[in-house]
């Protein structure tokens, strides 16, 4: 395996070039978009597994970077030009800037192999990157928090891979979950209901923005959602009507303004 590498110093950026060779296998037909997407996610999983084993934080998937990585892989598959630069000298840093992505550091790694099974192709690509100290340094870097991988297949069957790494602002929503509920009948018409939740900001390798507050809403018997005041509390107690169905949902926001997904529970009174 040949592993030439180039490094550029501005903003701690790095170009990495890897050629991964794998035994050719019989073609299983043209992979579907879903199969290619699954292979790209496999590279993410394999990468983060190695990072976890080294005590590092998982890289978060960024669809913008994945689109750039896919464009890079498709260019190589279409032209056969296995390089970090495209015609006219365009590189991934130019593409990041043109896409309007805010960033403080970035890097690219590329690979190709001939393994027909896409899961094997993904594994060979990661194995090749991890087999070189300079390339492993990017995969295992403490300086990036987001990544996107792209796969494209040439007419000759070569599998071209690109990975775009980024150090950028926190774009990952905070997490939340409903921990538990309790209720107590007060009389023939009223019930006291207690709801507890928890949450926090998802940790990134760098630039985690931190938790800010919760939003809590409730719906009665399928009606429109009604919001309670924004809060940092993790419990609430309310007096509700008996013989009704209440849906309660909670979501968290981080200090960068990113909302997480709603977490909901149904309480029958």
């Amino acid at each position: 395996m040949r592993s030439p590498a180039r490094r550029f110093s501005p903003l701690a950026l790095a170009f990495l070039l890897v050629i991964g060779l794998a035994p050719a296998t019989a073609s299983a037909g043209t992979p579907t978009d879903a199969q290619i997407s699954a292979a790209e996610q496999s590279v993410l999983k394999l990468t983060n597994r190695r990072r976890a084993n080294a005590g590092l934080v998982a890289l978060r998937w960024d669809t913008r970077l994945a689109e750039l990585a896919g464009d890079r892989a498709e260019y190589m598959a279409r032209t056969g030009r296995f390089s970090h630069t495209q015609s006219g000298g365009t590189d991934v840093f130019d593409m990041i800037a043109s896409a309007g992505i805010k960033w403080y550091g970035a890097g690219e790694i590329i690979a190709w192999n001939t393994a027909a099974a896409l899961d094997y192709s993904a594994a060979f690509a990661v194995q090749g990157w991890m087999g070189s100290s300079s390339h492993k340094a990017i995969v295992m870097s403490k300086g990036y928090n987001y990544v996107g991988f792209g796969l494209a297949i040439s007419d000759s069957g070569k599998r071209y891979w690109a990975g775009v790494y980024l150090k950028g602002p926190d774009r990952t929503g905070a997490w939340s979950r409903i921990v538990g509920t309790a209720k107590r009948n007060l009389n023939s018409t009223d019930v006291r209901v207690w709801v507890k939740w928890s949450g926090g900001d998802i940790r990134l390798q760098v630039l985690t923005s931190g938790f800010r507050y919760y939003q809590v809403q409730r719906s009665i018997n399928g009606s429109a959602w009604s919001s309670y005041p924004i809060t940092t509390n993790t419990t609430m107690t309310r007096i509700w009507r008996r013989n009704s169905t209440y849906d309660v949902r909670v979501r968290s926001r981080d200090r960068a303004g990113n909302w997480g997904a709603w977490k909901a529970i149904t309480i029958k009174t």
Side-chain angles (χ1 to χ4, degrees), residues 40 47 51 64 81 85 96 113 126 149 152-153 219:
E40 293 166 348
T47 295
R51 290 178 63 86
R64 305 169 305 167
R81 180 185 174 92
T85 59
I96 291 172
N113 58 57
V126 175
F149 294 104
I153 302 172
S219 169

Side-chain angles (χ1 to χ4, degrees), residues 176-224:
S176 60
R177 67 171 176 265
I178 296 179
V179 177
T181 65
K183 57 187 178 181
R184 180 182 178 184
N185 292 332
L186 300 178
N187 50 49
S188 61
T189 60
D190 298 324
V191 58
R192 178 182 288 114
V193 177
W194 173 84
V195 183
K196 181 177 177 60
W197 58 85
S198 63
D201 198 17
I202 294 175
R203 184 186 173 197
L204 304 177
Q205 183 66 62
V206 291
L207 303 181
T208 305
S209 62
F211 171 80
R212 188 172 185 185
Y213 51 61
Y214 299 103
Q215 182 179 21
V216 184
Q217 296 183 337
R218 65 111 170 97
S219 169
I220 307 174
N221 297 324
S223 64

Side-chain angles (χ1 to χ4, degrees), residues 12-30:
L13 307 186
F15 276 121
L16 292 178
L17 178 60
V18 173
I19 300 178
L21 299 178
T25 56
S27 173
T30 302

Side-chain angles (χ1 to χ4, degrees), residues 35-36 39-40 69-70 73-74 118 121 149-153 159-162:
Q35 289 171 326
I36 288 177
E40 293 166 348
E74 287 197 12
L118 297 189
S121 180
F149 294 104
L151 165 64
I153 302 172
R159 277 72 169 126
Y160 285 91
W161 289 92

Side-chain angles (χ1 to χ4, degrees), residues 113-124:
N113 58 57
T114 56
L118 297 189
D119 55 345
Y120 286 131
S121 180
F124 277 124

